[in-house]
């Protein structure tokens, strides 16, 4: 039952017009949708934004800062081997654009082609960030495809987890490999949608869906997203989030695209929670055929 005392009932209440019961019910439903807590957990911390973003390929730190702000992201990743976070006092510091008190930093091992280099990079990140254990592991197989070397990835992940790191891991869209990485102790598995920086969108929806259905850790699509509809598809498949960089940074208007990606993530997530109608081969009339007036 609606408690009408909680709502304005006359114009003398701070100038509001009276509301009908239908309007009151609509306000309640809108509030419930808006206020519904829908978060996911990474390394024991809750996040409401399901969009994770990178910091590469922007024209300068100001554009980086503005795009990240427009995206609404709470987790920001950066390639430690290519980014200054204090190693060089004479160069712009990325942490001026993404202060650690505002964002969760996610150092990654982009540019690493063997397990040893990836592990060393993560340890350097922990030293530079005062004991920060959250990392994104990627061990690449070759420079043309930038596909993950899954054998080296397993090797690096095992060593890092044994060393106390919280590992979010980039991998291919193989459900068996995703399961192995989860069983190894990775706190999130991040299958690619398509090759890094390709913008091709999700090439294998069924595999992504299978990974999601079998996982007990967060699954985040990583790499290959090109536009907001790609992000929405990933969320409609049940992914916990999407990580992207080039799709925003390489857009004609990165700040506007960051905003579009934010909305795409939110729309896809709501569609997943709502439950889409079943796909049918033939038409189904919107209006019932029974009970016609003439």
């Amino acid at each position: 039952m609606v408690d009408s005392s909680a709502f304005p009932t006359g114009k003398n209440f701070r100038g509001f017009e009276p509301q009908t019961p239908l309007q009151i019910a609509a306000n309640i439903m809108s509030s419930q949708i808006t206020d519904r807590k829908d978060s996911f957990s990474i390394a024991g911390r809750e996040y409401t934004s399901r969009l994770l973003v990178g910091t590469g390929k922007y024209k300068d730190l100001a554009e980086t800062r503005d795009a990240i702000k427009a995206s609404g992201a709470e987790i920001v990743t950066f390639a430690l081997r290519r980014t200054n976070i204090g190693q060089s006092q004479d160069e712009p510091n990325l942490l001026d654009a993404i202060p650690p008190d505002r964002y969760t930093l996610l150092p990654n091992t982009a540019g690493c082609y063997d397990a040893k280099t990836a592990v060393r990079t993560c340890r350097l990140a922990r030293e530079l960030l005062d004991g920060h254990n959250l990392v994104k592991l990627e061990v690449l197989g070759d420079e043309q495809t930038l596909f993950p070397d899954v054998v080296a990835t397993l090797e690096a992940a095992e060593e890092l987890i044994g060393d106390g790191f919280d590992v979010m891991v980039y991998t291919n869209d193989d459900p068996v490999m995703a399961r192995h990485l989860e069983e190894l102790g990775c706190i999130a598995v991040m299958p690619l949608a398509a090759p890094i920086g390709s913008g091709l969108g999700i090439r294998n929806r069924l595999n992504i869906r299978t990974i999601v259905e079998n996982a007990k850790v967060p699954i985040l699509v990583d790499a290959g997203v090109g536009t907001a509809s790609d992000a929405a598809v990933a969320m409609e498949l049940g992914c916990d989030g999407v990580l992207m960089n080039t799709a925003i940074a390489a857009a004609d208007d990165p700040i506007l695209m960051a905003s579009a990606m934010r909305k795409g993530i939110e729309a896809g997530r709501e569609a997943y929670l709502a439950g889409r109608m079943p796909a049918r081969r033939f038409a189904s009339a919107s209006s019932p055929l029974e009970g016609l007036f003439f």
Side-chain angles (χ1 to χ4, degrees):
M1 178 176 291
V2 175
D3 180 7
S4 60
S5 65
F7 298 91
T9 56
K11 196 168 183 178
N12 60 345
F13 187 92
R14 297 188 181 179
F16 285 97
E17 295 288 351
Q19 292 183 307
T20 67
L22 185 60
Q23 288 172 320
I24 292 173
N27 288 339
I28 292 174
M29 290 301 295
S30 176
S31 176
Q32 288 175 341
I33 292 172
T34 302
D35 295 340
R36 175 190 294 162
K37 183 180 180 182
D38 180 36
S39 61
F40 73 111
S41 177
I42 294 289
R45 181 172 175 180
E46 295 292 317
Y47 297 93
T48 55
S49 173
R50 294 174 180 270
L51 175 57
L52 292 71
V53 296
T55 58
K57 301 185 178 180
Y58 292 100
K59 66 180 182 181
D60 53 37
L61 285 183
E63 185 176 74
T64 305
R65 181 194 62 237
D66 293 344
I68 292 173
K69 182 178 180 181
S71 75
E74 297 169 288
I75 302 175
V76 181
T77 190
F78 59 91
L80 185 67
R81 301 185 75 196
R82 302 168 180 159
T83 305
N84 179 37
I85 58 169
Q87 307 98 305
S88 176
Q89 300 298 323
D90 300 326
E91 297 179 10
N93 190 328
L94 178 66
L95 300 186
D96 292 334
I98 51 167
D101 61 344
R102 188 179 307 169
Y103 300 100
T104 294
L105 302 183
L106 181 61
N108 67 61
T109 60
C112 295
Y113 290 86
D114 60 81
K116 183 178 179 180
T117 304
V119 169
R120 185 172 63 247
T121 300
C122 290
R123 287 173 175 157
L124 176 60
R126 181 160 64 182
E127 182 177 339
L128 288 170
L129 295 171
D130 300 323
H132 188 85
N133 285 323
L134 182 64
V135 294
K136 179 192 168 215
L137 172 64
E138 54 182 88
V139 185
L140 304 177
D142 66 80
E143 294 185 5
Q144 181 178 20
T145 66
L146 298 181
F147 282 160
D149 180 335
V150 293
V151 175
T153 297
L154 283 168
E155 179 185 345
E158 185 173 15
E159 184 169 351
L160 288 169
I161 292 166
D163 197 20
F165 283 91
D166 295 318
V167 178
M168 302 174 66
V169 62
Y170 165 68
T171 184
N172 57 18
D173 58 5
D174 176 2
V176 176
M177 181 54 62
R179 186 183 73 238
H180 285 322
L181 289 165
E182 178 180 340
E183 290 172 349
L184 200 60
C186 294
I187 64 167
V189 177
M190 309 176 74
L192 53 78
I196 292 172
S198 67
L200 292 173
I202 298 178
R203 297 291 86 197
N204 197 334
R205 299 185 184 188
L206 292 178
N207 274 22
I208 297 294
R209 182 175 176 183
T210 301
I211 291 171
V212 168
E213 289 174 345
N214 294 330
K216 295 181 176 63
V217 298
I219 302 298
L220 301 98
V221 157
D222 179 15
V225 169
T227 191
S229 56
D230 297 332
V233 168
M235 300 308 298
E236 289 171 6
L237 291 172
C239 292
D240 295 280
V242 179
L243 188 149
M244 64 182 74
N245 183 184
T246 306
I248 296 175
D252 291 341
D253 186 335
I255 288 83
L256 186 59
M257 182 59 80
S259 175
M261 291 298 189
R262 178 179 186 169
K263 296 180 180 74
I265 292 285
E266 291 171 352
R269 179 62 180 173
E270 288 191 5
Y272 172 74
L273 293 175
R276 66 154 289 156
M277 63 167 283
R280 299 185 177 94
R281 182 180 178 186
F282 298 109
S284 175
S286 299
S287 302
L289 300 179
E290 298 81 12
L292 300 178
F293 289 107
F294 55 86

